[in-house]
Amino acid sequence: MAAPLKRLLLAEPHVVALGHRVGRREASLGPDPGAPVRVRFAPSPTGFLHLGGLRTALYNYIFAKKHQGSFILRLEDTDQSRLVPGAAESIEDMLEWAGIPPDESPRRGGPAGPYCQSQRLALYAQATEALLRSGAAYPCFCLPQRLELLKKEALRSRQTPRYDNRCRNLSQAQVAQKLAVDPKPAIRFRLEEAVPAFQDLVYGWTQHEGGQCGGGPSYPEK
C-alpha cells in the first residue's frame, strides 16, 4: 500500500485537503440504512473467550434474532504477534457450546467473507485511501517510542493519555519529506473539534472534545 498511499498523500490540494474538516455525511462509508440487521462480534484470537466477550456476543445474538438479522463472527487477528494457536477454533466452539452459534464465521462461511480480518487488508486499504482523499484522515509519522513517552507523561501528571495531534496539520511539503523516510505512516482519523452533545442514559447530557482525542492510530506493519 506504500506506493499508492504516497501518491495519494502528495496529490493536488483539492484532492487531499489535509486541513479540511469533513462532516459525517461526507465521510460516511456505511451501508444503506434500510439494509437488514447484521451484527458483528469481533474477538481477538489471543486466548480463550472470556466471560465479558461471551456476554457481548449474547447481546449481539439476541439483538440480531429479535430483528430477524444475522449474527456474524469475524476474528480480529491483524496483530499476528499475539495469536495463540487454536484460539480461533476455541472461540467458535465456545459460542456453539453457549447456544449462540454465528450465522456467518470462518468455519461456517457466508456471503461476506473472508471472516478473518487479516484476510481483508485490501478492503481496509481502499477505505484508508477514501478517508485520506476526503480529508477525514491524515498520516501520522510519530514513532511508538514517542507515543509511549506521551502516555507515561500524562499518567505521571494524572491526566488521560491522548495523542497531541502533532502530525494533524502537516503541510504537503512536510508530508512528502517524511514519506521519503517512512513510506508507511500510521493513519489517524481527523476528528471534528466540535462534537454535538448527546444524552447518556446514565450520565445525562454529555459532550466530548473530539479533536483532542488524537483519532486513534492504525499502525501498518513495518
Side-chain angles (χ1 to χ4, degrees):
M1 177 180 164
L5 178 60
K6 186 172 183 178
R7 290 197 298 270
L8 180 64
L9 293 174
L10 298 180
E12 296 182 6
H14 71 278
V15 176
V16 183
L18 292 178
H20 176 55
R21 289 178 60 185
V22 179
R24 287 192 180 89
R25 186 178 300 277
E26 226 180 314
S28 174
L29 297 174
D32 182 350
V37 169
R38 293 173 59 79
V39 181
R40 182 191 66 177
F41 176 54
S44 298
T46 55
F48 292 104
L49 182 63
H50 55 76
L51 187 58
L54 186 60
R55 178 191 60 189
T56 299
L58 176 61
Y59 289 167
N60 286 338
Y61 179 87
I62 293 173
F63 182 83
K65 297 310 171 184
K66 175 183 177 180
H67 296 283
Q68 292 78 49
S70 300
F71 172 55
I72 303 163
L73 172 66
R74 179 173 289 141
L75 298 176
E76 176 52 83
D77 63 341
T78 52
D79 188 351
Q80 297 288 307
S81 64
R82 300 177 59 225
L83 297 185
V84 173
E89 294 77 8
S90 173
I91 289 173
E92 197 152 356
D93 287 342
M94 293 196 70
L95 291 177
E96 294 180 354
W97 168 83
I100 50 176
D103 299 298
E104 303 170 29
S105 69
R107 180 182 297 171
R108 293 171 178 258
Y115 293 92
C116 291
Q117 304 285 45
S118 62
Q119 299 173 16
R120 303 173 63 85
L121 297 183
L123 296 175
Y124 304 146
Q126 294 175 13
T128 298
E129 290 185 9
L131 290 168
L132 288 168
R133 193 180 305 278
S134 70
Y138 64 94
C140 174
F141 300 90
C142 294
L143 296 176
Q145 293 88 333
R146 178 179 183 274
L147 300 178
E148 184 63 26
L149 288 176
L150 288 176
K151 178 181 178 180
K152 289 181 178 179
E153 179 61 25
L155 293 175
R156 188 182 67 82
S157 304
R158 297 185 179 181
Q159 298 178 354
T160 302
R162 61 184 61 185
Y163 178 56
D164 60 358
N165 288 320
R166 180 176 183 176
C167 296
R168 179 185 175 101
N169 295 313
L170 292 177
S171 67
Q172 286 199 336
Q174 291 172 315
V175 170
Q177 184 179 20
K178 291 181 178 296
L179 282 174
V181 178
D182 181 7
K184 293 184 178 181
I187 305 299
R188 291 182 180 272
F189 289 109
R190 188 185 301 279
L191 299 179
E192 298 180 6
E193 296 288 345
V195 179
F198 61 92
Q199 187 171 17
D200 187 281
L201 292 178
V202 176
Y203 296 101
W205 283 99
T206 306
Q207 186 172 24
H208 296 287
E209 295 296 330
Q212 301 300 318
C213 295
S218 173
Y219 292 110
E221 295 183 1
K222 298 288 185 178

